[in-house]
């Protein structure tokens, strides 16, 4: 930042982010909102004037972490002579509100996920010790409208929020309560943000939403103004110069419409990777979870997606030990995993969340049963992931180079299937898409050799 005479002195900002990619995106936007106030990122909370803890409420452990982190920050704040301002943002802020300030009085500000644009105003209030320290109203439209339109890109891959909130009310989940109702962002704003990122060298965008494929909204007037869904949005964004790769996450089986499936076949920029959480393979449990689909319905969606894009990598989320889950129900989950064959999947032990319907259900399972099932499921998923990665050996993949690797002369990037790829190459390749021949694979990454680079790239 260059100093102009009327610019405010620089203040240190430290943001700690927990939870999902939406929180990662929100943290970037918080940075954007605070930049005009003279806040610049610092490397550690000790040297920060403002610390923002962007929290996650999804499982009990996630919430516990927040309180232990706040305890540490309190000690740092005391050591700083009270100079540090502590703000708690995100889903715990939304869920616990005043309770947070009561349990940890060192907290200066509490703001829910729809209130970031109000942060400057809240900081001003806090510094004068007046008024409310809490902002947890839901107003997604206002948030989308109030956030700065331009973004500062950080590397060749970026998130773009297109949808927020959830109306699905899965019985185990806090998200509908912490993020509010489903709401889509305006196409014009999404296009503007994507263009701004592309002009700064971004090649890959990941469209974000709690239920990203529930996205819908009127097309730009020049495009006819009809109601678009995610497939059409992806096709449109793929025409923006510089944008070579598009991904989206996280989607819901119920919103996986025919056009989006077709887009996987007709839009080369749409990357062959689909994260479609299923949670369980048992119809009885899916019903108790209020997922609104059966295991076979999910199998059918995957079959149709694979027909449209045969090489697509499939990812999912699973919960084991939902109340009432029997051995047979769990076995149905294992069978579904064997049937689908995942490239990667995230699995969790059911965690009872206050205020959700499942917390009140009968048949909560002992931790030991959940542990056992989680281990069995994860060992199957790890085997599938290893197998999927190994299946790339010998292929030449286009890799988006995202930075320097750990070893001297090494670069890393990501494959179309979202695998981490390490290879030897010059730093000048950063931000480009280059061909890499895959020669090795492990559970978490691939190694390869650079095949072909034009001289201009070097
Ligand atoms: N919107 C996405 C996921 C949101 S939360 C979807 O509908 O799939 C991310 C993942 O956390 C979920 O997919 C689920 O697997 C897990 N999760 C959510 N609530 C949970 C709970 N109470 N206990 C354990 N895992 C949970
Ligand atoms: Fe939670 Fe279900 Fe909504 Fe996903 S779809 S955010 S799991 S309520
Ligand atoms: Fe966590 Fe909120 Fe995301 S609860 S998973 S940060 S939507």
């Amino acid at each position: 930042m260059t100093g102009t005479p009327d610019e405010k002195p620089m203040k240190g900002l430290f943001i700690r982010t927990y939870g999902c990619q939406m929180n990662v995106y929100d943290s970037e936007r918080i940075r954007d909102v605070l930049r005009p106030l003279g806040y610049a990122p610092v490397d550690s909370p000790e040297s920060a004037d403002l610390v923002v803890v962007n929290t996650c409420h999804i499982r009990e452990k996630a919430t516990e972490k927040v309180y232990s982190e706040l305890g540490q920050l309190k000690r740092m704040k005391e050591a700083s002579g009270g100079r540090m301002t502590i703000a708690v943002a995100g889903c715990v802020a939304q869920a616990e509100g005043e309770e947070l300030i009561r349990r940890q009085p060192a907290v200066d500000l509490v703001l829910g996920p729809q209130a970031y644009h109000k942060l400057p105003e809240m900081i001003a209030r806090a510094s004068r010790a007046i008024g409310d320290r809490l902002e947890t109203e839901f107003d997604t439209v206002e948030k989308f409208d109030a956030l700065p339109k331009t973004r500062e890109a950080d590397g060749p891959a970026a998130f773009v929020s297109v949808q927020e909130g959830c109306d699905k009310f899965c019985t185990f989940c806090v998200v509908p309560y912490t993020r509010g109702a489903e709401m889509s962002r305006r196409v014009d704003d999404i296009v503007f943000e994507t263009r701004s990122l592309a002009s700064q060298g971004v090649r890959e965008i990941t469209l974000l939403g709690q239920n990203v494929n529930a996205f819908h909204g009127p097309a730009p007037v020049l495009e006819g103004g009809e109601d678009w869904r995610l497939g059409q949005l992806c096709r449109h964004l793929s025409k923006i110069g510089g944008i070579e790769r598009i991904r989206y996450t996280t989607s819901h089986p119920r919103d996986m419409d025919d056009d989006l499936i077709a887009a996987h076949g007709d839009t080369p920029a749409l990357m062959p990777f689909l994260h479609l959480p299923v949670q369980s393979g048992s119809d009885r449990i899916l019903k108790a979870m209020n997922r609104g689909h059966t295991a076979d319905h999910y199998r059918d969606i995957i079959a149709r997606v694979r027909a449209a894009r045969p090489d697509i990598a499939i990812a999912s989320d699973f919960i084991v030990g939902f109340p009432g889950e029997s051995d047979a129900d769990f076995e149905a989950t294992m069978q579904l995993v064997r049937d689908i064959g995942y490239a990667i999947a995230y699995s969790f032990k059911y965690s009872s969340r206050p205020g959700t319907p499942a917390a009140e259900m009968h048949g909560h399972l002992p931790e030991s049963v959940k542990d056992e099932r989680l281990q069995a499921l994860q060992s199957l998923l790890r085997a599938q992931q290893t197998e999927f990665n190994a299946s790339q050996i010998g292929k030449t993949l286009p890799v988006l180079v995202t930075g320097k690797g750990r070893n001297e002369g090494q670069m890393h990037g990501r494959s179309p299937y979202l695998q981490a790829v390490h290879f030897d190459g010059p730093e000048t390749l950063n931000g480009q898409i280059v061909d890499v021949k895959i020669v090795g694979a492990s559970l978490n990454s691939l190694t390869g050799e650079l095949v072909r680079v034009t001289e201009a790239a070097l």
Side-chain angles (χ1 to χ4, degrees):
M1 205 177 270
T2 54
T4 52
D6 55 0
E7 204 165 278
K8 302 192 178 67
M10 200 131 94
K11 286 166 276 187
L13 168 68
F14 185 83
I15 306 181
R16 173 92 69 206
T17 308
Y18 295 103
C20 62
Q21 283 138 328
M22 190 63 88
N23 263 14
V24 174
Y25 175 83
D26 282 343
S27 289
E28 285 174 20
R29 301 315 317 263
I30 291 174
R31 216 166 286 140
D32 292 339
V33 167
L34 293 174
R35 195 172 291 118
L37 273 74
Y39 283 97
V42 290
D43 293 334
S44 70
E46 282 95 341
S47 49
D49 299 281
L50 172 64
V51 176
V52 180
V53 186
N54 199 2
T55 61
C56 175
H57 197 51
I58 202 82
R59 284 168 289 273
E60 196 181 347
K61 258 200 199 131
T63 306
E64 277 168 9
K65 250 192 239 157
V66 173
Y67 284 103
S68 78
E69 167 112 33
L70 289 176
Q72 287 171 18
L73 288 173
K74 174 183 179 252
R75 286 187 285 281
M76 286 179 209
K77 181 176 179 167
E78 283 163 0
S80 80
R83 183 181 52 97
M84 178 192 284
T85 301
I86 302 175
V88 182
C91 291
V92 178
Q94 188 65 43
E96 312 246 301
E98 295 277 6
E99 172 72 9
L100 255 164
I101 301 177
R102 205 182 55 72
R103 268 183 73 175
Q104 184 46 273
V107 169
D108 298 288
L109 303 170
V110 176
L111 63 155
Q114 313 305 343
Y116 302 142
H117 55 291
K118 298 190 179 150
L119 194 49
E121 190 190 311
M122 292 177 75
I123 292 171
R125 282 205 305 246
S127 68
R128 282 177 275 137
I130 48 162
D132 220 346
R133 294 197 283 169
L134 183 75
E135 196 66 76
T136 49
E137 289 296 304
F138 278 131
D139 196 342
T140 319
V141 187
E142 195 187 304
K143 171 185 167 185
F144 278 149
D145 283 351
L147 284 172
K149 293 278 177 275
T150 47
R151 294 263 309 276
E152 210 157 284
D154 181 20
F159 291 131
V160 175
S161 167
V162 303
Q163 181 278 342
E164 272 205 35
C166 181
D167 292 336
K168 298 278 191 296
F169 290 96
C170 299
T171 52
F172 52 81
C173 185
V174 293
V175 172
Y177 313 98
T178 62
R179 293 274 174 169
E182 258 173 29
M183 160 77 215
S184 296
R185 197 173 173 197
R186 266 200 303 271
V187 172
D188 285 340
D189 290 349
I190 297 166
V191 169
F192 190 91
E193 186 170 318
T194 306
R195 282 215 181 100
S196 137
L197 290 166
S199 72
Q200 298 172 68
V202 167
R203 295 286 156 266
E204 176 176 306
I205 51 166
T206 300
L207 308 180
L208 286 185
Q210 260 89 34
N211 265 288
V212 69
N213 53 346
F215 167 85
H216 63 94
V221 180
L222 283 175
E223 300 287 331
E226 75 200 50
D227 207 48
W228 273 1
R229 293 189 51 87
L230 191 64
Q232 287 151 302
L233 179 70
C234 288
R235 289 192 191 95
H236 186 65
L237 295 175
S238 73
K239 292 183 214 146
I240 294 177
I243 297 299
E244 295 183 46
R245 293 179 161 198
I246 298 175
R247 304 177 185 278
Y248 59 88
T249 199
T250 304
S251 39
H252 193 289
R254 260 152 70 190
D255 292 316
M256 206 63 215
D257 60 62
D258 291 345
D259 185 59
L260 181 55
I261 294 176
H264 277 283
D266 64 37
T267 309
L270 199 50
M271 287 291 98
F273 183 93
L274 173 65
H275 187 179
L276 192 65
V278 65
Q279 316 299 354
S280 168
S282 154
D283 289 346
R284 210 174 62 82
I285 296 297
L286 286 170
K287 188 149 191 274
M289 287 176 163
N290 190 33
R291 291 289 290 180
H293 63 84
T294 62
D296 277 349
H297 179 204
Y298 180 86
R299 284 184 179 88
D300 176 61
I301 295 171
I302 300 296
R304 286 188 290 133
V305 173
R306 282 182 163 153
R309 180 79 203 235
D311 65 331
I312 198 159
I314 306 294
S316 190
D317 295 349
F318 294 92
I319 294 176
V320 300
F322 185 81
E325 186 187 72
S326 66
D327 284 337
D329 292 320
F330 177 64
E331 175 49 31
T333 298
M334 294 290 276
Q335 191 52 47
L336 180 70
V337 173
R338 285 182 214 110
D339 291 347
I340 301 289
Y342 286 99
I344 190 165
Y346 305 91
S347 44
F348 312 98
K349 285 188 281 183
Y350 168 74
S351 170
S352 179
R353 308 307 289 129
T356 60
E360 311 296 321
M361 287 179 188
H362 295 295
H364 281 258
L365 297 173
E367 230 20 55
S368 57
V369 173
K370 294 188 206 172
D371 277 330
E372 216 172 276
R373 289 181 184 167
L374 187 69
Q375 273 180 35
L377 175 60
Q378 290 190 336
S379 115
L380 175 58
L381 290 169
R382 266 199 306 272
Q384 291 193 343
Q385 187 173 331
T386 306
E387 189 187 321
F388 179 74
N389 287 350
S391 73
Q392 309 298 329
I393 295 176
K395 289 188 197 161
T396 295
L397 301 179
V399 170
L400 174 69
V401 186
T402 47
K404 277 205 307 189
R406 228 172 293 147
N407 303 332
E408 190 58 33
Q410 200 184 51
M411 299 298 288
H412 64 71
R414 48 174 77 155
S415 79
Y417 313 104
L418 208 51
Q419 296 146 302
V421 184
H422 304 279
F423 63 98
D424 285 339
E427 249 181 82
T428 45
L429 296 181
N430 205 1
Q432 301 189 40
I433 295 174
V434 296
D435 282 343
V436 175
K437 182 167 185 199
I438 305 305
V439 297
S442 65
L443 175 64
N444 292 315
S445 64
L446 307 176
T447 49
E449 290 161 1
L450 192 59
V451 233
R452 180 161 41 80
V453 216
T454 58
E455 246 169 67
L458 291 166

